[in-house]
């Protein structure tokens, strides 16, 4: 088309003002569109079968060609001035609303998109452009399944691209009429000097413009109210936001994805003033979170926690559940919710700080506090179970620091003071810790999974509130007593009722004869080889079965622990933890030690490992392993050093395990053919033989978990403090271990 126009201009040799020919052609095409409404009597003919699309295309080509021929770059040509002065965009917007002929709205959206994208002259600053743009946005994006969704999302894409190039444009599309009015009052006087002159010049060919009173009776009967007035301060102020959020709900995946990308662009390029406006005067945050809450409340109440846990890797860019995974009732609904939650998390990460903080607070208030918390504290076990599993899935998706901060405050509160044993739960986290020791094993397992997920989040308050605030000052270490001279001095086994001669089995040799005094490093810390051997030798030989099977040795745990510890160390590196515990003041009096509700619950659970279901034991030991991986000197000392001199009445992880072993030795004597049954149970757990119910099966499964857990703790101690590396410096395990 542009080449044909050029040829026509070349033929007009001698014509001194070829631009007038362009203007005449432009007006002629506009008259052709308006004449359609005068002459046509068929109201059923689709717009695409009339000459309207062709004439709009000619008008667009003329505008683009005219701009390329302008001698002064950035100056508006006569055709563009005509478009602006005669409010052609306003009129097209009215015709689009009328949907006459059928499909006209689609044609109008395409024309707006192409004009804004292809005309380089800044247009959105003009009142006669951004006002019809706002009106056109209000025509769509609110009803899912609209026939013009594709054109609407293309239109919003152009607008967001323009805003990305010039963030100041955001105010012209999103701000209210008062701000726009003030800006236009100062801008219109200088923005279009030729336009002002043209309005007074009767000799310009503007008189050729069609008389709207003659042709527009049919169309103007459906005209937008008060077309020449400013858009109202209600829906018009945030029409772009409203349209984008509506398009995000589209059932067409590509439309929804493009709308989400556009909204992401919008909130990330906002200036401070515009971001403040988005938060305070637009439905941006409430609408985003409202959709999140609606998706959550649409989830079926019968979701299985195991199914929720298997649905991983849901992304807002690919919200559909992977087709290769097993199907279950509510899968697609759950995938839609997790996909939108992931999108909210991504928005919070990328948005302007003002928008990010507001959106995170809104998610916490509307979803976490108002909806999720009552379900977590409900008397119904099904409600507790489902909501806990869903919260765990959300934590797994969560990446943004602002939303993580809100989630931690929601779960653990902001008070990081140590709790007393008699304190009742004053935070949601306190209630959830009680759920870990619930009468329902399913609730206990689900809540332990929640805490395991929480411990993997990069937020220092989590580990501080649950563990470190109780260990600070090392009150678990006896004051004023010399360092232990032997293994026997530390464990004080002779005074333990579980380890009197009457209860010990003759075969339990490793615990009867105390080993030599532990070897220490130059810094006074117990050598890692001593710690490793203490855990590996804790379970008596008659209770071990891994030696009879392949790929269940200690080396495997070293390999796994290496990667997990490296990941944990990288996550906590910015927190500036000390390399070693502070030395004790021998003159400082002892103070009562309470390990905290979280560790107390875990130790209590660990002490019942021989009586609990296999799946529950796995989850308890998994959480303890996560804790032991943290490279904090107090955590290492309290959880992994068997040789610390505990204060009276205190217990550590190792002392709990010692008492479990004592209990085990008594129970072994009451189980006939114990070694054979134990090996059979291990083979069953590994899937090597068919499962069958045995006597003492819970006990036998607990023994298998206990053996593996001791090997895992030994491996963690090894990779945290390798023998040849200095304190808290991580190095590769020796050859043969990895």
């Amino acid at each position: 088309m542009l080449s044909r126009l050029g040829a026509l201009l070349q033929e007009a040799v001698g014509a001194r003002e070829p631009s007038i020919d362009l203007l005449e052609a432009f007006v002629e095409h506009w008259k052709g569109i308006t004449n359609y409404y005068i002459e046509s009597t068929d109201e059923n003919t689709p717009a695409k079968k009339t000459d309207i699309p062709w004439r709009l295309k000619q008008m667009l080509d003329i505008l683009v060609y005219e701009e390329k021929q302008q001698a002064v770059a950035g100056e508006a040509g006569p055709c563009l001035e005509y478009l602006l002065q005669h409010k052609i965009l306003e009129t097209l917007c009215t015709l689009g609303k009328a949907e006459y002929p059928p499909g006209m709205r689609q044609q109008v959206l395409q024309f707006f998109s192409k004009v804004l994208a292809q005309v380089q002259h800044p247009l959105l600053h003009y009142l006669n452009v951004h006002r019809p743009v706002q009106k056109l946005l209000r025509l769509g994006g609110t009803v899912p399944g609209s026939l013009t969704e594709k054109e609407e999302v293309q239109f919003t894409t152009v607008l967001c691209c323009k805003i990305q190039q010039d963030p100041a444009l955001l105010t012209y599309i999103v701000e209210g009429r008062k701000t726009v009015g003030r800006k236009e009052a100062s801008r219109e006087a200088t923005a279009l000097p030729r336009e002002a002159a043209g309005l007074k010049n009767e000799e310009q060919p503007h008189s050729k413009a069609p008389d709207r009173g003659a042709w527009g009776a049919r169309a103007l009967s459906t005209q937008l109210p008060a077309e020449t007035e400013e858009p109202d301060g209600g829906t018009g102020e945030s029409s772009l936001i409203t349209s984008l959020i509506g398009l995000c709900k589209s059932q067409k995946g590509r439309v929804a994805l493009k709308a989400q990308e556009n909204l992401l662009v919008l909130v990330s390029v906002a200036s401070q003033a515009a971001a403040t406006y988005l938060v305070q005067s637009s439905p941006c945050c409430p609408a985003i979170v409202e959709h999140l809450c609606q998706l959550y409340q649409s989830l079926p109440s019968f979701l299985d926690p195991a199914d929720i846990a298997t649905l991983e890797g849901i992304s807002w860019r690919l919200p559909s559940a992977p087709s290769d995974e097993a199907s279950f009732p509510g899968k697609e609904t759950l995938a839609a919710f997790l996909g939108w939650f992931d999108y909210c998390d991504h928005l919070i990460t990328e948005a302007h700080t003002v928008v990010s903080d507001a959106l995170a607070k809104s998610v916490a208030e509307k979803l976490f506090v108002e909806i999720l918390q009552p379900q977590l504290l409900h008397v119904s076990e099904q409600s507790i179970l489902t909501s806990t599993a869903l919260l765990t899935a959300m934590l797994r998706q969560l990446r943004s620091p602002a939303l993580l901060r809100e989630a931690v405050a929601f779960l653990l509160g902001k008070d990081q003071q140590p709790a007393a044993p008699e304190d009742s739960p004053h935070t949601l986290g306190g209630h959830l810790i009680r759920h870990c020791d619930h009468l329902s094993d399913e609730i206990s397992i689900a809540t332990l999974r929640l805490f395991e997920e929480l411990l993997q989040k990069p937020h220092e308050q989590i580990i501080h509130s649950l563990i470190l605030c109780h260990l600070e000052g090392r009150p678990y270490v006896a004051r004023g007593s010399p360092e232990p001279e032997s293994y026997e001095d530390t464990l004080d086994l002779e005074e333990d009722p579980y380890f009197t001669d009457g209860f010990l089995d003759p075969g339990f040799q490793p615990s009867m004869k105390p080993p030599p005094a532990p070897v220490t490093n130059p810094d006074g810390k117990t050598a890692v080889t001593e710690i490793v051997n203490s855990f590996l030798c804790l379970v008596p030989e008659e209770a071990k079965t891994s030696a009879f099977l392949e790929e269940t040795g200690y080396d495997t745990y070293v390999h796994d622990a290496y990667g997990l510890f490296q990941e944990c160390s990288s996550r906590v590196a910015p927190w500036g933890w000390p390399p070693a515990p502070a030395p004790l003041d021998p003159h400082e009096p002892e103070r009562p030690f309470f390990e905290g509700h979280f560790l107390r619950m875990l130790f209590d659970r660990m002490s019942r490992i021989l009586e609990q279901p296999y799946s529950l034991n796995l989850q308890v030991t998994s959480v303890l392993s996560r804790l032991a991986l943290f490279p904090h000197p107090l955590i290492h000392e309290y959880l992994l050093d068997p040789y610390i001199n505990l204060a009276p009445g205190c217990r550590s992880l190792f002392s709990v395990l010692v008492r479990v072993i004592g209990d085990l030795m008594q129970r072994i004597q009451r189980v006939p053919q114990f070694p054979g049954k134990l090996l059979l149970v291990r083979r069953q757990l590994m899937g090597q033989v068919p499962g069958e119910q045995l006597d003492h099966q819970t006990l036998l499964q607990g023994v298998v978990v206990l053996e593996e857990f001791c090997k895992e703790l030994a491996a963690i101690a090894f990779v945290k403090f390798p023998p040849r590396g200095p304190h808290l410096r991580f190095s590769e395990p020796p050859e043969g271990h990895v």
Side-chain angles (χ1 to χ4, degrees), residues 29-37 40 42-57 59 88-113 136 139 146-149 151-152 155 215 218-220 222:
H29 285 300
W30 177 239
K31 287 176 64 177
I33 293 174
T34 58
N35 286 338
Y36 174 85
Y37 290 88
S40 176
D42 184 3
E43 298 184 357
N44 297 321
T45 302
K48 62 182 180 180
K49 291 187 177 180
T50 68
D51 66 347
I52 293 177
W54 177 77
R55 291 192 179 278
L56 289 174
K57 178 68 166 60
M59 293 171 65
I88 290 179
L89 297 181
E90 290 268 10
T91 305
L92 286 173
C93 185
T94 301
L95 300 177
K97 181 181 181 182
E99 263 291 69
Y100 176 76
M104 186 61 185
R105 185 178 303 173
Q106 183 182 40
Q107 302 300 323
V108 172
L109 283 165
Q110 290 177 347
F111 182 72
F112 270 60
S113 299
L136 190 58
L139 295 181
S146 169
L147 296 177
T148 59
E149 279 186 341
E151 289 73 26
E152 289 171 25
F155 181 43
W215 64 266
R218 183 186 303 145
L220 295 181
T222 58

Side-chain angles (χ1 to χ4, degrees), residues 306-320:
D307 291 335
I308 297 174
T310 59
L311 197 59
E312 297 184 1
I314 299 297
S315 167
W316 66 275
R317 294 187 182 275
L318 296 171
S320 299

Side-chain angles (χ1 to χ4, degrees), residues 63-224:
L63 289 173
V64 173
Y65 183 83
E66 177 188 67
E67 185 174 57
K68 291 182 177 180
Q69 302 304 311
Q70 286 297 114
V72 180
E75 184 178 347
C79 297
L80 181 58
E81 288 185 0
Y82 183 87
L83 177 87
L84 297 170
Q85 292 170 9
H86 289 263
K87 300 182 179 179
I88 290 179
L89 297 181
E90 290 268 10
T91 305
L92 286 173
C93 185
T94 301
L95 300 177
K97 181 181 181 182
E99 263 291 69
Y100 176 76
M104 186 61 185
R105 185 178 303 173
Q106 183 182 40
Q107 302 300 323
V108 172
L109 283 165
Q110 290 177 347
F111 182 72
F112 270 60
S113 299
K114 292 176 180 178
V115 167
L116 293 175
Q118 297 183 30
V119 175
Q120 302 303 309
H121 186 86
L123 295 177
L124 287 169
H125 300 84
Y126 299 125
L127 177 65
N128 287 343
V129 176
H130 68 246
R131 180 170 59 187
V133 163
Q134 289 175 339
K135 290 181 179 180
L136 190 58
L137 284 168
R138 292 203 298 274
L139 295 181
T142 57
V143 180
S146 169
L147 296 177
T148 59
E149 279 186 341
K150 179 181 177 182
E151 289 73 26
E152 289 171 25
V153 79
Q154 289 174 344
F155 181 43
T156 58
T157 299
V158 172
L159 292 177
C160 291
C161 287
K162 291 294 181 182
I163 292 171
Q164 189 177 35
Q165 296 168 7
D166 182 7
L169 289 175
L170 182 67
T171 59
Y172 292 90
I173 307 302
V174 179
E175 282 190 355
R177 60 189 174 96
K178 291 183 179 180
T179 305
V180 172
R182 286 196 301 268
K183 292 183 177 179
E184 292 302 330
S186 60
R187 185 179 295 271
E188 290 294 330
T190 57
L192 285 175
R194 296 181 62 181
E195 176 181 326
L199 288 173
K200 299 178 182 179
N201 190 349
E202 298 296 333
E203 297 180 0
Q204 293 292 328
H206 298 164
S207 57
K208 298 180 181 179
D211 182 2
R212 292 178 61 178
W215 64 266
R218 183 186 303 145
L220 295 181
S221 64
T222 58
Q223 182 174 341
L224 291 172

